[in-house]
Amino acid sequence: MKKIAIYGKGGIGKSTTTSNLSAAFSKEGDKVVQIGCDPKSDSTKNLMGGKGIPTVLEQIKAKGDDLKVEDIVFTGFGGVLCIEAGGPTPGVGCAGRGIITAFEKLEELQFFEKYQPDVVLYDVLGDVVCGGFAMPIRGGYAQDVYVVSSGEMMSLFAANNIATAIKGFGKRGYAKLQGLILNKKNIENEDEIVRKACEEIGTSIVATIPRCGDIQIAENQGCTVLEALPESEMCEIYRALARDMMKVGK
Ligand code: ADP
Ligand code: MG
């Protein structure tokens, strides 16, 4: 089982990248699980026809001890199994706590043992890498970590923080930063800025995803580009990245 965490600043394109990757992995014939670990809870929306799914936190509240796997796991495009950890009511409680609770619930339900996926993708908000948001890179959840960033300073700043957190946990856990996914915003000198930042962080660019209107066209239909626009040049970019990710460590 390949366990991948995709981190990055809010709004940088984590969910877009992760859901297109999930669709790409499914096209390669893999059994895929995508777990949204962002209080926004919209990670899997474009795999579910544009609709949000009930989150683990919401369902724990609603169903209590009667909660079943079917209450929190939903099948999306390409058979991708979609889960949203969920978040607290704004201003009340810790956002990271939702992730911890969701992970504990999945373990309790023996979800991974039962479903035996080939790939698990965690889509994680990386603005603050506090206890909850660090959960996927601790305790053996994710092996390979990727950071999505553009050339904007704030997203590179978040990338640096995430890299620092992984290095800190690296000695104990086994998550490894495998590289940066450059999701372009088309700012001036973007490739050069990001290349230099990667040097400083001690990582490299593993893929460059162009800014492309096809993403919005697909999104307006509640889809990934792999579903809505299979002829789009974007599809091969995500598929190539998925294949490269699968080869890591093999
Ligand atoms: P995050 O999950 O990091 O908060 P999203 O994946 O929701 O960010 O992306 C934010 C917005 O940016 C989306 O609505 C999407 O349309 C747009 N976007 C992301 N990546 C691209 C891209 N490569 N080309 C065009 N638009 C993109
Ligand atoms: Mg998101």
Side-chain angles (χ1 to χ4, degrees):
M1 185 164 69
K2 195 83 178 145
K3 297 177 285 184
I4 299 167
I6 312 274
Y7 276 80
K9 184 190 163 303
I12 202 62
K14 292 180 298 296
S15 301
T16 303
T17 307
T18 310
S19 52
N20 276 285
L21 279 171
S22 284
F25 276 114
S26 84
K27 289 272 179 207
E28 302 294 314
D30 294 317
K31 199 166 161 187
V32 189
V33 175
Q34 179 168 326
I35 306 181
C37 301
D38 185 325
K40 245 200 301 174
S41 306
D42 62 352
S43 170
T44 59
K45 200 179 67 186
N46 290 334
L47 293 163
M48 296 297 310
K51 291 200 192 73
I53 56 171
T55 70
V56 179
L57 278 192
E58 284 166 2
Q59 294 292 69
I60 289 174
K61 246 192 206 160
K63 315 253 165 163
D65 289 340
D66 296 332
L67 183 90
K68 294 183 195 66
V69 168
E70 306 85 80
D71 298 321
I72 54 171
V73 181
F74 301 88
T75 307
F77 173 72
V80 176
L81 299 177
C82 300
I83 301 168
E84 295 284 350
T89 315
V92 190
C94 161
R97 183 71 219 162
I99 301 173
I100 298 171
T101 308
F103 282 24
E104 283 169 356
K105 196 40 112 183
L106 289 172
E107 262 171 41
E108 193 186 308
L109 295 169
Q110 295 188 305
F111 169 72
F112 294 111
E113 288 87 343
K114 281 185 194 150
Y115 284 79
Q116 300 269 336
D118 300 304
V119 193
V120 183
L121 290 145
Y122 296 95
D123 171 3
V124 201
L125 181 65
D127 287 289
V128 189
V129 196
C130 75
F133 292 103
M135 190 78 172
I137 50 177
R138 288 160 51 175
Y141 287 100
Q143 303 154 315
D144 302 329
V145 183
Y146 296 87
V147 180
V148 179
S149 182
S150 70
E152 288 171 317
M153 281 325 291
M154 286 313 287
S155 71
L156 287 169
F157 179 72
N160 188 48
N161 276 347
I162 295 152
T164 306
I166 298 163
K167 277 175 206 149
F169 294 127
K171 296 165 205 116
R172 280 166 276 159
Y174 69 170
K176 192 163 179 275
L177 179 61
Q178 301 292 6
L180 184 143
I181 299 167
L182 169 52
N183 194 36
K184 291 192 95 167
K185 279 266 167 84
N186 291 346
I187 63 165
E188 211 172 314
N189 284 330
E190 191 162 35
D191 296 81
E192 186 56 18
I193 290 168
V194 176
R195 197 190 57 73
K196 274 206 180 124
C198 279
E199 250 173 42
E200 279 165 30
I201 294 170
T203 192
S204 58
I205 300 172
V206 290
T208 300
I209 301 174
R211 188 113 206 126
C212 175
D214 289 353
I215 296 283
Q216 275 75 38
I217 295 172
E219 195 172 75
N220 288 340
Q221 298 172 37
C223 299
T224 60
V225 282
L226 280 106
E227 180 177 8
L229 303 164
E231 304 298 321
S232 165
E233 57 171 19
M234 294 297 276
C235 297
E236 189 43 39
I237 292 169
Y238 289 117
R239 290 187 74 164
L241 178 56
R243 286 193 290 268
D244 287 345
M245 284 176 155
M246 212 37 148
K247 279 186 220 142
V248 168
K250 277 192 184 152

